[in-house]
Amino acid sequence: MNILITGGAGYIGTHTCVELLEAGHEIIVVDNFSNSLPVALERVEKITAKSVLVYEADISDSQKMSAIFSAHVIDAVIHFAGFKAVGESVKEPLKYYANNVNGTLVLLAEMQRAGVKTLVFSSSATVYGLPETLPIKESFPTSATNPYGRTKLMIEEILSDFYLADDSWRIGILRYFNPVGAHKSGQIGESPNDIPNNLMPFISQIAVGKRDKLRVFGGDYPTPDGTGIRDYIHVIDLAKGHLSALNHLAETQQKGMGELLTVNLGTGQGYSVLEMIKAFEKASGKTIPFEIVARRSGDIAACYSDSSYAKQMMGWKPLYGLEDMCKDAWHWQKNNPNGYEK
Ligand code: NAD
Ligand code: UDP
């Protein structure tokens, strides 16, 4: 297949590019490098010994997007492009609505114009808001607690309206839990620009000596050790989930049908912050100093998926556990203490 990947230079995008190239697909990346660097895609080329066609463009630029769709025969789009920092979205909501929602509207209009009707979209477990019970199933009610989450929810709703209007589309909405880890080569991984907001990159930076200690947000949650529980998923498993979604949607197309499929991509297993620290210490051989501080506003006690629907619908299941997640995150961080920057 010829697959257009928006945001393909980012953390999840690069890993998905590798999986797609290794599965024999042709890819075209559109990225404005607002949160990534071109070198990440050079690393993808190095890992796969294949070339990647890259357009530096903003997905909101309909002229450029239209030219890209005219220049290539595209079978499907995987849509990663968007901003993802929850805290920033609270401070600058307009920036998030403009980039995430408007960007998607432009993309959809250009896909429609070009007659490309297969789309895989990056959604998030954040759309479950404060789940009443665990594990979380796709049928649970959705809500948003911040503008970032609201953009994901809005896009999901837009896609649902879109499908209602034309049910020959094939749309896969993938709700990611907490992606961590890196490619086994240690060549690509998560490279935050600033102080990491997320747990795993923060721990990795402590291990490599860039930060002193972790602030554990909350030690009084109703969890076995009092710290927050999340469903961490290896980024390679997540990347493979996109291949499974594309294959599944291609089967739907072969049957002459359309589909709107929403699935969780998680492992189904939750780990606490303290368990993550311990696992990372074991993988890296480094001590991770920490102190328990107040809860971070907006955080929930626990969140983990029921991932059985993805297995049932697309034959996908995660292959890697916590040990690999920590080992691979550490391998990447050790080889690239400053991420992609020299
Ligand atoms: P990332 O920031 O590493 O990658 C996003 C990429 O999109 C970057 O390369 C950025 O430069 C590009 N981009 C942003 N806006 C653009 C625009 N208007 N036009 C063109 N390119 C643009 O993020 P990621 O972690 O790889 O996440 C990918 C997607 O998955 C995002 O939509 C994110 O919201 C979603 N997601 C991520 C997580 C996570 O924890 N990483 C969890 C759930 C969902
Ligand atoms: N966390 C923490 N210290 C940090 C970053 C995160 O204790 O510096 C905790 C956070 O409260 C949550 C878990 O680690 O319980 C995962 O947080 P992350 O930001 O990685 O993911 P999300 O909150 O989006 O699920």
Side-chain angles (χ1 to χ4, degrees):
M1 276 194 261
N2 266 341
I3 303 156
L4 181 92
I5 306 175
T6 76
Y11 172 45
I12 304 169
T14 43
H15 291 82
T16 305
C17 287
V18 169
E19 295 302 319
L20 291 169
L21 288 168
E22 287 182 343
H25 296 293
E26 304 278 335
I27 62 172
I28 301 161
V29 169
V30 178
D31 203 301
N32 63 1
F33 301 112
S34 54
N35 197 36
S36 55
L37 291 168
V39 65
L41 291 167
E42 289 165 21
R43 303 269 182 101
V44 167
E45 292 183 321
K46 206 168 138 195
I47 293 169
T48 59
K50 293 190 176 164
S51 62
V52 177
L53 181 56
V54 188
Y55 285 96
E56 180 167 355
D58 194 302
I59 57 161
S60 309
D61 184 336
S62 55
Q63 265 184 352
K64 277 195 187 163
M65 292 304 286
S66 169
I68 295 167
F69 277 104
S70 301
H72 303 277
V73 176
I74 293 165
D75 300 301
V77 174
I78 304 181
H79 178 29
F80 293 109
F83 295 146
K84 62 169 180 176
V86 172
E88 185 186 51
S89 82
V90 175
K91 292 193 189 106
E92 295 181 73
L94 266 186
K95 178 175 167 181
Y96 275 68
Y97 291 119
N99 195 48
N100 295 7
V101 180
N102 187 49
T104 303
L105 290 177
V106 172
L107 174 70
L108 288 173
E110 293 309 324
M111 287 179 69
Q112 196 171 40
R113 211 196 314 260
V116 180
K117 291 189 168 187
T118 302
L119 174 71
V120 175
F121 170 64
S122 305
S123 189
S124 164
T126 190
V127 301
Y128 294 113
L130 220 174
E132 272 172 27
T133 56
L134 294 166
I136 299 170
K137 286 179 184 290
E138 289 81 352
S139 55
F140 278 24
T142 52
S143 66
T145 53
N146 57 66
Y148 165 70
R150 216 156 350 260
T151 66
K152 292 293 175 194
L153 214 45
M154 282 179 183
I155 296 167
E156 287 203 6
E157 281 168 356
I158 290 166
L159 292 175
S160 162
D161 286 341
F162 216 67
Y163 180 72
L164 268 180
D166 180 353
D167 65 6
S168 65
W169 275 67
R170 294 156 299 270
I171 301 172
I173 295 175
L174 308 183
R175 292 177 176 162
Y176 310 156
F177 281 66
N178 289 52
V180 295
H183 191 259
K184 297 277 168 194
S185 64
Q187 290 283 314
I188 55 172
E190 192 168 9
S191 178
N193 276 332
D194 216 342
I195 302 172
N197 294 310
N198 297 112
L199 179 67
M200 189 67 133
F202 202 104
I203 292 181
S204 309
Q205 291 196 1
I206 295 170
V208 86
K210 290 187 68 176
R211 314 222 168 260
D212 294 341
K213 70 173 166 196
L214 177 74
R215 294 189 312 141
V216 175
F217 298 137
D220 57 353
Y221 282 111
T223 59
D225 67 18
T227 66
I229 289 178
R230 296 290 182 276
D231 182 341
Y232 298 92
I233 172 169
H234 198 301
V235 66
I236 298 178
D237 279 327
L238 195 64
K240 287 181 191 292
H242 295 76
L243 248 86
S244 303
L246 282 179
N247 291 338
H248 172 80
L249 296 175
E251 280 170 24
T252 304
Q253 184 174 11
Q254 273 159 18
K255 291 180 202 151
M257 290 162 61
E259 185 175 8
L260 174 65
L261 175 71
T262 302
V263 294
N264 287 340
L265 292 183
T267 64
Q269 167 81 50
Y271 291 105
S272 74
V273 178
L274 297 186
E275 285 173 320
M276 294 302 286
I277 295 173
K278 205 176 277 175
F280 202 91
E281 286 184 331
K282 191 167 168 224
S284 64
K286 304 278 179 187
T287 302
I288 308 295
F290 67 89
E291 65 171 326
I292 295 182
V293 300
R295 294 180 181 189
R296 180 170 67 179
S297 129
D299 271 1
I300 57 175
C303 169
Y304 51 90
S305 67
D306 178 330
S307 60
S308 57
Y309 192 56
K311 175 145 197 300
Q312 182 196 326
M313 295 303 292
M314 0 189 267
W316 173 89
K317 67 174 170 47
L319 302 174
Y320 297 110
L322 186 56
E323 202 181 319
D324 278 299
M325 297 180 209
C326 294
K327 205 173 70 189
D328 297 335
W330 174 234
H331 186 206
W332 152 254
Q333 187 71 61
K334 200 171 44 159
N335 285 357
N336 308 269
N338 298 315
Y340 290 111
E341 278 152 298
K342 296 215 171 68

